[in-house]
Amino acid sequence: MASQHDASSSPLQPELYDQVFAPVEAEMLAWLDLPPGARILDAGCGPGVMAARFTAVVGPSGQGDALDQNPQALERAREYLAGSPHAERVQLHQGDLLRLPFDDESFDPAWASFVLHHIPDPVAAARELRRVVRPGGRVVVRETGVPLRMLPFDLGIGEPDLQDRLRVAHNRWFNTIRYAEPVDAPYPFGWSQVLRDAGCQGVTVRTFWLELLPSFTAVQEQFLLDSVQRHLDKPELRALLDPADVETVTQLTDPASPYYLLARLDLHVLAGLSLYVGTVG
Ligand SMILES: C[S@@+](CC[C@H](N)C(=O)[O-])C[C@H]1O[C@@H](n2cnc3c(N)ncnc32)[C@H](O)[C@@H]1O
């Protein structure tokens, strides 16, 4: 996909990610307490997983619209939704979040997940989301609150605190692919400020936690292994690690190694996904 939706710019492979985070997303949906019959917008929908989940909770009279600028993302969404019993109530649209092809006051909520960080002017994007939300409705922005971590401080191999060095490498790499074009002066404030600057009221945040100890399901194992393996597979990320850390990651991801990640019983998986919510006056 184009750099705006390099699947790898998502925290991890989107479908795998959504399977692992399904219980967390169920909690989010319960907390949002959407009324039956609501019309929701999933802006920057990617593979469309959340559009399907939203539409499932708003009942047979509810409706979802899922928009993405990337035709390949929409193709994936089409394939994903083909397996959903709610597919006929989700309309897919190709378009730009900055110029939404919808009337004013059409939705509640307008949801944008892991999208605004790709847009150089996130306030303009949030303003556009606000425009299409009905009075009293909500703009909801999902972003990473606390990045995934699972490794103990001392692994018995390499320098302690590999997890933080992996995170630093990831952040440095992510900063290079964050925008499709170079941006002179990125908006320098956090997500609650974005919503306030876009004119939303009563801005609030709630973080939802994934917390796991072994043993893991096969999907969780695949997800956890991928989250480490990608530092070897992605040359740009690998180049940002010390050779000693590359060796440690190699050992962690080798099933034949005594340091194999999935043989450890001391992993503690922790990740926080934050929902920033603003109300439209
Ligand atoms: C990291 S993916 C997130 C996908 C999905 N929302 C999720 O949570 O898994 C970001 C998505 O936003 C889309 N996107 C980025 N900028 C956009 C824009 N200006 N208008 C519409 N879609 C956009 C990309 O094409 C991509 O599919």
Side-chain angles (χ1 to χ4, degrees), residues 4-5 9-10 44-47 67-70 73 95-97 113-115 118-119 142:
Q4 287 262 358
H5 190 78
S9 73
S10 298
C45 62
L67 173 135
D68 206 286
Q69 69 181 7
N70 185 323
D96 185 354
L97 200 154
S113 163
F114 305 128
V115 180
H118 288 301
I119 298 180
R142 174 165 74 168

Side-chain angles (χ1 to χ4, degrees), residues 117 168-179 186 240:
H117 59 235
V168 168
H170 174 275
N171 287 351
R172 286 176 64 199
W173 163 77
F174 181 73
N175 205 32
T176 67
I177 58 101
R178 181 175 173 196
Y179 301 124
L240 292 168

Side-chain angles (χ1 to χ4, degrees), residues 93-114:
H93 309 262
Q94 186 175 358
D96 185 354
L97 200 154
L98 291 161
R99 285 178 293 280
L100 291 170
F102 304 112
D103 292 340
D104 294 358
E105 305 184 2
S106 297
F107 299 96
D108 179 24
W111 159 274
S113 163
F114 305 128

